[in-house]
């Protein structure tokens, strides 16, 4: 499944509709089906909905968005390919994520994994290209010697960065990160740095520079909260012609 499409769906808050779209693709790999009450009941059970009414409501939205198209003559419904999203994409990456049936029930965790995993990879690509990058006053240099992309290497990813780069709100980014951590798609280190400054001095800095400096008390000591360091526990796939599927 194209990573570009997952990010777009997350940005537009269309996750629930998209999950049904994916489930139909998994159920009917030939790309067409005949809708029925029995089918809606089965789909609802697969996604842990209490009633098929929710599925029918989502199905109507699929029709409205033309992600699926009804053929009045044959009675079949055609499930359109990922190319329907192409007009909304600024660019199409060859990066993909292979989603499995059981992951549809925890799709918010999957979106968190993909969003933060994409930015994790983007950080390394920029570092390879520029040899050194600066994020919020901190400089990160490319390690010396032979080096390649490592999944377990932690990199700084701020919620504000998710919003700036991908257009996903900070609230949504925080939510999907929480679920990705819960289901072990991501690992995170709290980037806490001890400081010699007092609270009064920190408050003075905030007032003078007109910006917030997050800090925490731990065992009566003051620590400044830096950008959280994140690593990923999964692998992306690579494929051509994603959008034709």
């Amino acid at each position: 499944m194209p990573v570009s499409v997952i990010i777009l769906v997350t940005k537009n808050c269309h996750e629930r509709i998209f999950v049904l779209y994916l489930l139909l693709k998994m159920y009917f790999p030939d790309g067409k089906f005949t809708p029925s009450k029995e089918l809606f009941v089965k789909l609802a059970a697969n996604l842990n909905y209490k009633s098929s009414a929710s599925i029918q409501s989502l199905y109507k939205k699929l029709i409205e968005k033309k992600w699926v198209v009804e053929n009045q003559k044959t009675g079949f419904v055609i499930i359109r390919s990922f190319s329907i999203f192409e007009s909304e994409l600024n660019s199409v990456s060859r990066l993909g994520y292979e989603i499995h049936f059981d992951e549809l029930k925890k799709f918010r965790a999957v979106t968190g994994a993909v969003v933060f995993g994409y930015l994790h990879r983007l950080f390394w690509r920029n570092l390879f290209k520029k040899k050194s990058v600066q994020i919020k006053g901190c400089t990160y240099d490319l390690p010396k010697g032979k080096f390649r992309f490592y999944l377990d290497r932690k990199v700084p990813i701020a919620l504000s960065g998710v919003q700036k780069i991908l257009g996903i709100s900070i609230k949504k980014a925080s939510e999907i990160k929480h679920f990705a951590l819960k289901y072990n798609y991501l690992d995170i280190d709290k980037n806490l740095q001890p400081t010699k400054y007092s609270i009064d001095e920190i408050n003075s800095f905030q007032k003078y520079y007109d910006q917030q400096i997050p800090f925490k008390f731990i065992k009566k000591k003051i620590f400044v909260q830096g950008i959280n360091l994140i690593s990923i526990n999964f692998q992306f796939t690579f494929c051509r012609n994603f959008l034709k599927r």
Side-chain angles (χ1 to χ4, degrees), residues 5-13 15 111 115 168 172 176:
V5 172
I6 298 176
I7 292 173
L8 176 67
V9 167
T10 305
K11 175 184 175 181
N12 293 337
C13 300
E15 295 96 319
T111 60
V115 165
I168 297 171
K172 171 61 73 68
I176 61 177

